[in-house]
């Protein structure tokens, strides 16, 4: 009997997260889940800078703060530069050893308005982990289009209508742009696979230079889906090839998450989300879905995901 | 020790002696020499700072913000377009009560693009919470930077301080300067002890969202702090004077104002010209002196009223203009006497925009023209034909 019983791993002690509950994120918010996973993987010896956006607004309405680590928000477009200053300051004071510096921002704060500061921080190779919480639109201001909003997505500034299927630009290749800075480590991750995400955070924080995580975080409000579907939708983005999980070291792809067995057509991902409802409403729309499938196929081909 | 050095060298040497931990700056004429000298000092091992070559002035201001937030002494320098690009961050630095020092090599603002001096850049930030001091010459630039840090880092203040110097006129001119030494500066300027800092031993949240229930209170505290900074600026200058014998003013400075009936007012390097003009006018029997505004923010209203209690007229020379309103320093001085018991006449002239030369004779002409009568908005020495002046 004794031999056949599987040895159970001891349960980890229940500790409070470094991003405490009780903040103001919406039910099912992928971004708050992501932030919690990131900071808990990083641990308490971490200083965090954050761009203006949902994450900042829901976690730090004065006089409340959900953060149990030192945390600073300055502006919409500068968390990377503020983090560079934090890192440089700590170094000059002889206090950097053993302290992680994490900069965070949404897709807008990172890939659009903040890309200049981000590029500077990466190019100078500051010892900073930058996490981009990609919910694929400016959610904090009411779901406007960003450079990371996918093709044919309905947002409030790229609405679908009689003459439009929504956003007509493909998602900006943020991870490749970042990796092209030839930094030690850059990867994509998703809240759909929390263990993978936390492993990547730890991996990144071991590096002595700039690192980056492009984190996919579904948004029930902006994507218009039922709140219990966040994890499922996050996984479907990976499984369809629309959000490939790829790791770069020094600008070169070193690992991908294969989707050989779990590969699904893009409809499986799109159909849950109100932001793609218009594509299912007409024959013309269905043709558009084929274009989105082509984007997924190209990703799969490019990174050898099957 | 006395040395013949460029104004920019006086600044960088003075900044070096303040031992900044982090310097972040982006090149822009006429500020460039300052950051070039500083980066050379770092390269030579004469200055132990993290020198961050940023991608923009916006980045520079954000880097020094982050450095100050962990308790590091931080420095930047810029001008004109660079300052405007920083402006969003400067408001933020002040709002978060992060002390640091920034030197502004004052230059006009585009369009048309002009690299030459006036004060149009810094006046844009007059409502931001940035303490704004103007230096008059290379010696004052040497002396003012330790004072600026001492004011900024005073726990009662904890705000950014800008040291303003006229582009080219001060940045690129060589003057004999009595050098400060490390021992003196170390004694005068103690290590930076931040009021709040990002520290894993004592985690705090900075830069929170303020709903309507709180925002106004934070602005009120800033208003109070600006008022509290008034005696502190004066005391720091007094302390510096006690220890060195040198005095360029605290909030203001005066020249031959003792029995004066008219005060000529200005800021920055123009003060030198105004002093010469006053000597000339005095020699002709005019009862006139110079009022130098050294602290533009906080604006020392009380001190100005006190100093002008016997003055009949202020003749103000502005190097900036608020389009749609008037000359800025003049408007502020005028407001300062509104409904006071003693209300001198106030005249305002615009001089030196975009680096236009300011000959002493032009100042004298303005003085003679306005003596006893109010003149406003007069653009001195403009090409009348070119503008088809009405
Ligand atoms: C300079 C500037 N421009 C615009 C804004 C308004 N703004 C605040 S947050 C935000 C959108 C944030 O979007 P994103 O970065 O994707 O973060 P999310 O809220 O989606 O997490 C915008 C447009 C601002 N605060 N500052
Ligand atoms: Mg977003």
């Amino acid at each position: 009997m004794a031999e056949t019983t599987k040895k159970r791993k001891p349960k980890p002690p229940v500790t409070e997260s470094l991003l405490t509950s009780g903040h103001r994120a919406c039910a099912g918010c992928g971004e708050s889940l992501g932030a919690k996973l990131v900071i808990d993987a990083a641990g308490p010896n971490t200083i965090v800078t954050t761009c203006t956006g949902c994450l900042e607004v829901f976690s730090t309405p004065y006089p409340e703060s959900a953060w149990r680590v030192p945390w600073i928000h300055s502006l919409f477009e500068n968390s990377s530069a503020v983090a560079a200053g934090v890192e440089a300051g700590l170094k000059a004071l002889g206090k950097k050893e053993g302290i992680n510096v994490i900069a965070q921002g949404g897709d807008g704060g990172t890939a659009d308005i903040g890309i200049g500061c981000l590029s500077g921080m990466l190019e100078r190779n500051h010892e900073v982990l930058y996490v981009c919480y990609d919910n694929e639109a400016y959610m904090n201001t009411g779901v406007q289009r960003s450079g990371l909003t996918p093709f044919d997505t309905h947002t409030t500034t790229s609405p679908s209508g009689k003459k439009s299927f929504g956003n007509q630009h493909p998602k900006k290749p943020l991870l490749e742009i970042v990796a092209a800075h030839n930094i030690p480590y850059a990867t994509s991750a998703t809240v759909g696979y929390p263990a993978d995400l936390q492993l990547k955070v730890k991996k990144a924080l071991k590096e002595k230079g700039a690192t980056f995580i492009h984190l996919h975080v579904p948004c029930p409000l902006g994507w218009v889906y039922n709140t219990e579907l966040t994890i499922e939708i996050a996984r479907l983005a990976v499984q369809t090839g629309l959000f490939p999980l790829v790791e770069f070291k020094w600008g070169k792809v070193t690992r991908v998450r294969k989707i050989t067995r779990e590969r699904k057509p893009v409809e499986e991902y799109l159909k849950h989300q109100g932001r793609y409802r218009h594509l299912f409403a007409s024959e013309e729309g269905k043709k558009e879905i084929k274009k989105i499938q082509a984007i997924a196929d190209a990703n799969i081909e490019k990174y050898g995901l099957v | 020790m006395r040395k013949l050095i460029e104004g920019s060298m006086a600044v960088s040497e003075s900044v070096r002696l303040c031992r900044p931990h982090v310097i972040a700056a982006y090149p822009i004429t006429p500020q460039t020499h300052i950051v070039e000298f500083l980066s050379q000092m770092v390269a030579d091992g004469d200055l132990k700072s993290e020198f961050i070559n940023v991608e923009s002035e916006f980045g520079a201001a954000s880097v020094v913000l982050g450095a100050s937030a962990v308790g590091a002494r931080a420095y930047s320098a810029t001008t004109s377009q660079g300052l405007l690009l920083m402006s969003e961050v400067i408001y933020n630095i002040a709002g978060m009560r992060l002390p640091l020092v920034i030197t502004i090599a004052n230059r006009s603002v585009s369009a048309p693009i002009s690299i030459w001096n006036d004060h149009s850049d810094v006046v844009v930030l007059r409502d931001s919470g940035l303490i704004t001091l103007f230096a008059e010459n290379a010696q004052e630039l040497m002396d003012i930077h330790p004072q600026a840090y001492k004011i900024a880092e005073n726990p009662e203040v904890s705000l950014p301080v800008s040291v303003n110097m006229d582009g080219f006129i001060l940045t690129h001119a060589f003057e004999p300067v009595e050098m400060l030494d490390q021992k003196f500066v170390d004694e005068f300027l103690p290590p930076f002890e931040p009021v709040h800092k990002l520290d894993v031993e004592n985690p705090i949240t900075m830069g929170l969202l303020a709903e309507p229930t709180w925002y106004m209170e934070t602005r009120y505290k800033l208003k109070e702090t600006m008022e509290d900074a008034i005696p502190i600026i004066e005391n720091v200058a007094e302390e510096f004077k006690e220890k060195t014998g040198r005095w360029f003013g605290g909030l203001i400075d005066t020249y031959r104002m003792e029995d004066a009936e008219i005060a000529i007012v200005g800021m920055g390097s123009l003060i030198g010209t105004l002093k010469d003009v006053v000597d000339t006018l005095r020699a002709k029997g005019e009862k006139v002196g110079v009022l130098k505004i050294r602290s533009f923010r906080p604006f020392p209203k009380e001190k100005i009223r006190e100093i002008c209690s016997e003055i009949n007229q202020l003749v103000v020379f502005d190097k900036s203009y608020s389009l749609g309103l008037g000359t800025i320093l003049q408007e502020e001085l005028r407001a300062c006497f509104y409904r006071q018991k003693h209300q001198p006449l106030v005249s305002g002239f615009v001089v030196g925009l975009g680096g236009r030369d300011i000959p002493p004779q032009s100042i004298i002409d303005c003085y003679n023209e306005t003596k006893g009568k109010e003149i406003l908005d007069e653009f001195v020495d403009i090409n009348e034909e070119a503008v088809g002046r009405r």
Side-chain angles (χ1 to χ4, degrees), chain A residues 19 64 75 79 95 101-103 111 213 281 284:
Chain A
L19 177 64
E64 295 157 17
L75 297 166
S79 77
K95 292 183 180 167
V101 181
I102 296 183
I213 298 179
E284 293 301 303

Side-chain angles (χ1 to χ4, degrees), chain A residues 24 60 62 65 71 73-74 77, chain B residues 88 92 205-207 209 211:
Chain A
R24 302 179 181 186
T60 61
Y62 184 82
S65 170
W71 183 98
H73 155 251
S74 166
E77 63 276 48
Chain B
E88 191 191 12
N92 201 253
T205 296
M206 297 172 84
L209 167 78
E211 289 177 349

Side-chain angles (χ1 to χ4, degrees), chain A residues 107 135 137-139:
Chain A
D107 45 294
N135 52 21
Y138 300 151
M139 295 312 180

